[in-house]
Amino acid sequence: MALSLFGNGRQSNFFDPFSLDIWDPLEGFGTLANIPTSARETTAIANTRIDWKETPEAHIFKADLPGIKKEEVKVEVEDGRVLQISGERSREQEEKNDKWHRVERSSGKFMRRFRLPENAKIDQVKASMENGVLTVTVPKEEEKKPAVKAIDISG
């Protein structure tokens, strides 16, 4: 199990050999309200939270994408077993008379990539979205057990 040096004690993808994930060492520090818009949009890439668990049957990815419609999200498997989840969260339109006191929700494009293990059935990937949570299920090949053949003993 990987030791989490920064964060909430959950397993981190920082040491995960299958991950092509982006690690943000400043995650959780400060507020986004005082950061320029372009920088806030960039942080959307690193701040998309995704859990990856493995069951006996599949690899399951869950991403929190509140306020994003399923039409705004792309799930793809590319170049040799790389799962890519991407999309864009639109920025709220500003009215002339609006006075913003705090802006913490990120907007802009996001993309996360994960290298899938050899046992992933990449032609059977399924995705669903419910209540702002994207679930991507990647079935696994059945583990082949060595064939054992009993040999009759003569004599």
Side-chain angles (χ1 to χ4, degrees):
M1 177 166 149
L3 177 62
S4 177
L5 301 175
F6 307 96
N8 56 11
R10 294 188 62 173
Q11 187 170 346
S12 168
N13 281 341
F14 182 69
F15 296 108
D16 187 350
F18 298 118
S19 179
L20 296 176
D21 207 7
I22 300 169
W23 176 63
D24 181 7
L26 301 177
E27 180 177 88
F29 289 98
T31 178
L32 295 175
N34 299 324
I35 299 174
T37 303
S38 60
R40 278 198 309 269
E41 290 175 354
T42 303
T43 62
I45 294 170
N47 287 336
T48 303
R49 308 284 185 181
I50 298 182
D51 293 338
W52 175 2
K53 76 175 178 178
E54 182 177 356
T55 68
E57 298 81 29
H59 294 275
I60 300 171
F61 298 82
K62 290 195 175 211
D64 289 339
L65 301 172
I68 297 180
K69 299 176 188 129
K70 68 179 184 177
E71 297 81 21
E72 299 171 322
V73 178
K74 283 183 14 181
V75 177
E76 304 168 305
V77 177
E78 61 179 36
D79 296 340
R81 307 183 161 315
V82 176
L83 174 68
Q84 179 172 297
I85 299 170
S86 62
E88 186 167 2
R89 179 177 286 127
S90 301
R91 195 167 51 185
E92 204 169 313
Q93 295 297 320
E94 295 182 25
E95 299 294 325
K96 246 185 180 165
N97 296 328
D98 289 349
K99 179 180 179 184
W100 290 84
H101 293 279
R102 194 162 193 88
V103 177
E104 292 185 343
R105 296 183 305 149
S106 58
S107 62
K109 295 181 181 182
F110 62 88
M111 180 178 63
R112 298 290 297 274
R113 297 167 53 106
F114 301 90
R115 184 167 308 281
L116 297 171
E118 291 294 321
N119 66 351
K121 292 183 179 179
I122 58 175
D123 58 332
Q124 296 180 21
V125 175
K126 291 187 173 37
S128 64
M129 186 112 152
E130 188 174 337
N131 297 324
V133 178
L134 173 70
T135 302
V136 179
T137 304
V138 183
K140 291 171 34 179
E141 299 281 348
E142 285 187 35
E143 197 173 302
K144 293 180 180 152
K145 297 180 181 175
V148 176
K149 181 180 176 190
I151 307 296
D152 289 334
I153 303 172
S154 62

